[in-house]
């Protein structure tokens, strides 16, 4: 279904598939699963952020969340937040596409 999709569509489809493969039958992740997924699938974006106050704030909020599960919408907000403050984002911004 995605053969003729754009790179951006494929990227978002990949996020959905990775999330769904890790989510429970209700479509949610536990906080532990969320942290594990971030480490295994998003490690280069969070690498070096561990000591940044904003990163610690985001992870603390994840720990303090009253609900024990994270839905897809909250997961996407988490990914975008972590991406925006990532050192890797600046490196990527400086690379020009060779297409």
């Amino acid at each position: 279904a995605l053969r003729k999709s754009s790179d951006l569509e494929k990227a978002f489809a990949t996020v959905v598939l990775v999330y769904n493969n890790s989510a429970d039958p209700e479509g949610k992740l536990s906080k532990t699963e969320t942290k594990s997924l971030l480490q295994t699938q998003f490690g280069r974006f969070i690498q070096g952020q561990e000591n940044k106050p904003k990163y610690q704030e985001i992870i603390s909020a994840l720990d303090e969340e009253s609900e024990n599960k994270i839905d897809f919408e909250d997961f996407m907000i988490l990914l975008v937040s972590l991406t925006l403050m990532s050192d890797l984002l600046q490196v990527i911004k400086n690379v020009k596409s060779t297409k």
Side-chain angles (χ1 to χ4, degrees), residues 1 6 11-12 18 37 49 62 68 74 76 79 81 88 97 99:
S6 70
F12 271 92
V18 168
L37 192 58
Q49 293 190 46
L62 185 60
N68 288 327
D74 289 336
M76 288 299 294
L79 286 183
S81 298
L88 182 58
S97 177
K99 289 184 180 182

Side-chain angles (χ1 to χ4, degrees), residues 47-87:
Q47 184 176 7
Q49 293 190 46
E50 296 85 2
N51 296 323
K52 292 181 179 179
K54 187 65 177 171
Y55 176 83
Q56 291 175 349
E57 179 184 322
I58 289 170
I59 296 303
S60 292
L62 185 60
D63 288 336
E64 294 168 5
E65 191 74 29
S66 60
E67 187 178 309
N68 288 327
K69 303 275 183 161
I70 303 297
D71 63 16
F72 182 72
E73 181 179 314
D74 289 336
F75 183 74
M76 288 299 294
I77 292 168
L78 179 63
L79 286 183
V80 170
S81 298
L82 293 173
T83 299
L84 289 173
M85 63 182 189
S86 172
D87 296 333

Side-chain angles (χ1 to χ4, degrees), residues 18-58:
V18 168
Y19 180 89
N20 285 342
N21 285 336
S22 299
D24 65 16
E26 295 175 352
K28 295 186 176 189
L29 293 174
S30 71
K31 294 173 190 176
T32 302
E33 290 166 328
T34 301
K35 285 182 180 181
S36 176
L37 192 58
L38 288 173
Q39 290 171 342
T40 60
Q41 295 290 322
F42 213 61
R44 292 185 193 246
F45 277 90
I46 61 174
Q47 184 176 7
Q49 293 190 46
E50 296 85 2
N51 296 323
K52 292 181 179 179
K54 187 65 177 171
Y55 176 83
Q56 291 175 349
E57 179 184 322
I58 289 170

